[in-house]
Amino acid sequence: SGANRDDYFFWQDYLGKEYALKAFQYAAAADPTAILFINEFNLESNSEKLDSLIKYVNELKSLGAKIDGIGTQMHITIHTAFIGIDAMFRKLAATGLKVRVSELDVRLNPGNTANYKSGIIPESVLKSQAAMYKYVVKSFLDNVPLGQRAGILVWGVNDINSWLYDEGNDYPLLYDNNYIPKPAFDGFAEGFGK
């Protein structure tokens, strides 16, 4: 797409190849009481990436990095595989570190195949979105021990302000454009047993 190296910022150009180690060391020195997380996306859909991240965290910790937890950015869809979500939470929990869903949203139109610009979304699609929100919460609670749970953050409040809204092609959050709870809100709450 015409991009070249000048279009990107690389931390290692400024801090060297150990930039991640240094970042954790600097953060711990600035506030020794801070709870520090490493954060990554697509861990529920890419087991090789998940395994590599865990290996990297172990390597950084062996070099003296203070890493208290791993955050996962779950920008998922109504079609994301449940088995990958469960496997991710189990592997993250097995590290003994805190686990946080640092970003969660559920696209209901991942292929932009339907035009939802009218705001009319089939009830079956809204139910699928609610089911996915419920599943993520339930899987987190089932697979991450209580002492390791560091929270779940939904990545936005209402659809129109989501980074995925795309002029009405997707509605990934718990509230509609008018801040009215969607079925996704109920699914999210049901995941907590509410």
Side-chain angles (χ1 to χ4, degrees), residues 23-29 31 33-38 65-70 97-98 100:
F24 281 104
Q25 290 171 332
Y26 297 159
D31 183 355
T33 65
I35 298 172
L36 304 179
F37 281 77
I38 194 164
K66 178 187 182 289
I67 301 175
D68 300 298
I70 300 175
L97 298 171
K98 293 187 178 299
R100 168 181 289 154

Side-chain angles (χ1 to χ4, degrees), residues 119-134:
I120 299 170
I121 303 162
E123 189 66 27
S124 62
V125 174
L126 291 171
K127 285 182 179 180
S128 293
Q129 185 184 49
M132 184 58 75
Y133 269 109
K134 179 179 178 178

Side-chain angles (χ1 to χ4, degrees), residues 47-190:
S47 62
E48 291 172 353
K49 185 176 192 179
L50 173 61
D51 293 342
S52 294
L53 177 65
I54 291 170
K55 182 178 176 183
Y56 187 52
V57 167
N58 290 333
E59 180 183 322
L60 289 171
K61 287 180 70 66
S62 76
L63 295 171
K66 178 187 182 289
I67 301 175
D68 300 298
I70 300 175
T72 177
Q73 300 172 20
M74 295 185 71
H75 301 296
I76 60 176
T77 78
I78 59 173
H79 305 301
T80 298
F82 290 167
I83 193 169
I85 293 169
D86 291 338
M88 174 193 67
F89 283 133
R90 281 194 296 272
K91 284 183 178 183
L92 291 177
T95 67
L97 298 171
K98 293 187 178 299
V99 178
R100 168 181 289 154
V101 177
S102 55
E103 302 177 21
L104 174 61
D105 45 38
V106 179
R107 293 188 68 185
L108 51 78
N109 187 20
N112 292 324
T113 54
N115 184 348
Y116 294 134
K117 288 188 180 194
S118 66
I120 299 170
I121 303 162
E123 189 66 27
S124 62
V125 174
L126 291 171
K127 285 182 179 180
S128 293
Q129 185 184 49
M132 184 58 75
Y133 269 109
K134 179 179 178 178
Y135 195 87
V136 169
V137 173
K138 186 152 178 23
S139 181
F140 179 80
L141 296 176
D142 288 347
N143 292 299
V144 179
L146 180 60
Q148 288 177 256
R149 295 179 199 156
I152 299 174
L153 177 70
V154 176
W155 201 235
V157 178
N158 70 330
D159 289 324
I160 199 168
N161 291 305
S162 168
W163 70 289
L164 294 170
Y165 181 66
D166 188 24
E167 299 179 8
N169 281 321
D170 218 310
Y171 297 78
L173 298 175
L174 303 180
Y175 293 88
D176 71 11
N177 293 350
N178 297 311
Y179 295 97
I180 296 171
K182 294 168 27 193
F185 178 88
D186 296 327
F188 189 71
E190 288 169 12

Side-chain angles (χ1 to χ4, degrees), residues 16-28:
K17 288 192 177 237
E18 280 86 33
Y19 68 92
L21 174 62
K22 290 177 183 177
F24 281 104
Q25 290 171 332
Y26 297 159

